[in-house]
Amino acid sequence: MRRPHLPARLPLDPYVLALLAAVGLAALLPARGAAAPIADGASTAAVALLFFLYGARLSTREALEGLRHWRLHLTVLACTFLLFPLLGLAARGLVPAVLTQPLYAGLLFLCLVPSTVQSSIAFTSIARGNVPAAICAGSFSSLAGIALTPLLAAGLLGGHAGGFSLDSLLKITLQLLLPFLLGQSLRRWVGGFLVRHKQVLGYVDRGSILLVVYAAFSAGVTAGIWHQVSPPRIGALLLVEAVILAVMLLVTWYGSARLGFGRADRIAIQFAGSKKSLAAGLPMASVLFGAQAGLAVLPLMLFHQMQLMVCAVIARRRAQDPDREPAPDRVAEVSPAAQQPTGQAR
């Protein structure tokens, strides 16, 4: 019996290490007093910058062309914004025996954020799947998440996400939707510049996200929310997340087969439909949770690293399947839609 081939080492994302360093800095030197409103204002500006850059990079023409594969995209959207939330709601029965209410709120929020783009593309490519479909599916999910994630959070999280108030709607519009639409409207003039300087701007993207993390966790330290978390609770959270990830990986793989998709499409569905975007969720959490954002994004940060490690193993094994189909003839050039901020896409 042939032993399964595993990668020489599991990928520990360097960006996750940087995020953990930002959390550590917030724990040791949180923004207090006069520094608190400065950090909050800088975080607000960083959120707006992230969504402006994403809007400026998303190719409207390519997104419209991708609609031709509408069954695949609807399947990914259903996994992201229907099946994931249902699993999150089912985990409500674990409170308070396994999860505290704040940790559960973060877990449910994790189930509401959109899918990734860059890492979905990378794993789909490694597994010899339908890369163009992964590009479009991830882009559609991110675009839909700008509206669906806040609406689902308002309806399912209630007071834990600040409620569905006029103030929260205004914040979402000003910090997320308006910058995105502005980026789309200016894409004709700034899109080329962003593509030419994508490496430098990637550092800007990641630096902005680190600032959002620092501000969120600083507010949490100042408010004393970390006294609510214990190592056994973190271990229980990891176990629950592992179960959710396993269920979604199985459903996306075998469910897509029952729906009649070919192997290449099933790979794209599995990687785009089972993953969650860390940095798309981070700025949304800062808007929706306020001072509680630090604890709210902890489940998302843990799930992010878990999905990278597990999907890396799956992608390499898919590439070695003896019954694999040839890769799609059309090799997709990585478009501006795929050139998201590094942190957001993963």
Side-chain angles (χ1 to χ4, degrees):
M1 179 177 179
R2 186 171 63 91
R3 295 176 59 186
H5 174 76
L6 297 179
R9 63 182 180 87
L10 294 177
L12 183 60
D13 189 359
Y15 194 65
V16 171
L17 296 179
L19 290 169
L20 293 176
V23 173
L25 180 62
L28 296 174
L29 298 171
R32 301 179 185 272
I38 296 176
D40 184 61
S43 175
T44 300
V47 169
L49 176 62
L50 284 172
F51 280 83
F52 170 81
L53 291 175
Y54 180 66
R57 292 173 182 180
L58 179 62
S59 171
T60 306
R61 177 183 59 81
E62 291 180 357
L64 292 175
E65 289 179 354
L67 287 173
R68 291 178 297 182
H69 211 349
W70 60 271
R71 287 184 65 247
L72 184 147
H73 303 317
L74 285 181
T75 302
V76 172
L77 290 175
C79 292
T80 304
F81 296 112
L82 181 59
L83 293 183
F84 255 115
L86 288 176
L87 290 176
L89 290 173
R92 180 71 176 86
L94 301 176
V95 179
V98 178
L99 300 175
T100 63
Q101 182 60 47
L103 282 181
Y104 170 70
L107 179 70
L108 182 55
F109 175 72
L110 148 71
C111 294
L112 306 181
V113 301
S115 179
T116 64
V117 177
Q118 184 172 326
S119 56
S120 295
I121 296 170
F123 289 134
T124 300
S125 177
I126 291 171
R128 301 175 184 270
N130 190 339
V131 175
I135 293 174
C136 293
S139 299
F140 291 151
S141 178
S142 297
L143 181 58
I146 296 176
L148 289 180
T149 297
L151 290 175
L152 288 171
L156 299 179
L157 286 166
H160 298 287
F164 194 52
S165 64
L166 182 62
D167 182 61
S168 64
L169 282 176
L170 183 61
K171 286 183 178 179
I172 292 168
T173 302
L174 292 178
Q175 289 187 247
L176 306 183
L177 184 58
L178 186 61
F180 175 83
L181 295 177
L182 181 61
Q184 276 281 285
S185 64
L186 297 178
R187 185 180 180 278
R188 176 185 300 179
W189 296 279
V190 303
F193 174 83
L194 294 178
V195 171
R196 290 193 301 271
H197 299 84
K198 59 185 177 182
Q199 184 173 3
V200 175
L201 289 172
Y203 293 110
V204 176
D205 300 332
R206 284 175 278 181
S208 299
I209 295 168
L210 291 174
L211 179 59
V212 172
V213 171
Y214 173 76
F217 278 83
S218 288
V221 170
T222 304
I225 63 175
W226 295 109
H227 297 296
Q228 307 173 33
V229 185
S230 64
R233 294 288 190 181
I234 297 297
L237 174 63
L238 285 171
L239 179 60
V240 173
E241 291 188 340
V243 172
I244 291 177
L245 179 60
V247 170
M248 290 306 302
L249 287 170
L250 291 172
V251 168
T252 51
W253 182 249
Y254 292 105
S256 58
R258 294 293 298 270
L259 292 174
F261 289 100
R263 181 185 177 280
D265 288 344
R266 291 172 65 196
I267 290 173
I269 291 171
Q270 183 175 53
F271 289 125
S274 65
K275 301 172 73 247
K276 292 293 184 176
S277 174
L278 174 65
L282 288 176
M284 290 180 183
S286 69
V287 175
L288 296 170
F289 289 91
Q292 301 292 319
L295 191 56
V297 301
L298 180 61
L300 180 58
M301 292 180 65
L302 296 175
F303 189 85
H304 170 80
Q305 183 60 31
M306 184 184 299
Q307 71 185 12
L308 288 181
M309 296 172 68
V310 173
C311 289
V313 175
I314 293 176
R316 287 176 171 87
R317 294 197 63 180
R318 292 268 182 267
Q320 297 175 352
D321 287 347
D323 59 341
R324 66 174 182 261
E325 301 167 1
D329 293 334
R330 183 168 63 92
V331 178
E333 179 182 356
V334 178
S335 63
Q339 298 294 335
Q340 284 198 78
T342 301
Q344 182 172 343
R346 293 182 172 181

